[in-house]
């Protein structure tokens, strides 16, 4: 099963175009981002990034996974927000004496 944190890292690398910029945006150390990408490549059995000058480019597999990851993360975030709203409504409906 693919790890959601690693998917978030891949999306950040895709968005910012470099491991360093993604690390800064995520408040991670650069080696940690590299490690997450390496683990994701091992999990998928596909090369996801290739070096391009001072940045990186996503391979076809990397682009596909990043697109799907954005969809998955969007749905997870939406579900979490919905649960938070329901939880808030349920908790606020109790009368405490």
């Amino acid at each position: 099963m693919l790890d959601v944190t690693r998917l978030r890292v891949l999306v950040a690398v895709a968005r910012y175009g470099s491991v360093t910029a993604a690390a800064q945006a995520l408040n991670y150390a650069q080696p940690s981002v590299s490690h997450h990408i390496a683990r994701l490549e091992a999990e998928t059995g596909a090369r996801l990034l290739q070096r391009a000058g001072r940045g990186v480019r996503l391979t076809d597999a990397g682009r596909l996974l990043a697109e799907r990851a954005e969809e998955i993360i969007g749905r997870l975030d939406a579900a979490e927000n919905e649960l938070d709203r329901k939880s808030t409504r349920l908790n606020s409906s109790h009368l405490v004496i």
Side-chain angles (χ1 to χ4, degrees):
M1 178 174 280
L2 298 177
D3 181 83
V4 176
T5 299
R6 291 186 186 121
L7 293 176
R8 288 184 190 277
V9 169
L10 178 64
V11 168
V13 171
R15 181 173 296 136
Y16 296 104
S18 80
V19 171
T20 301
Q24 290 173 342
L26 295 168
N27 292 318
Y28 286 0
Q30 183 273 330
S32 178
V33 170
S34 295
H35 176 76
H36 281 299
I37 295 297
R39 291 293 309 236
L40 195 53
E41 287 179 329
E43 289 172 357
T44 61
R47 189 155 189 227
L48 303 174
L49 304 177
Q50 68 187 94
R51 296 256 172 239
R54 300 190 119 206
V56 292
R57 269 190 23 217
L58 271 66
T59 62
D60 289 341
R63 271 190 299 281
L64 174 66
L65 187 57
E67 289 171 8
R68 295 298 180 263
E70 283 190 275
E71 295 169 11
I72 292 164
I73 291 164
R75 287 178 179 233
L76 286 171
D77 290 346
E80 187 175 343
N81 289 334
E82 287 176 35
L83 287 171
D84 285 346
R85 283 193 303 273
K86 283 188 183 220
S87 175
T88 300
R89 275 187 269 148
L90 289 173
N91 290 335
S92 66
S93 66
H94 291 97
L95 178 62
V96 178
I97 300 177

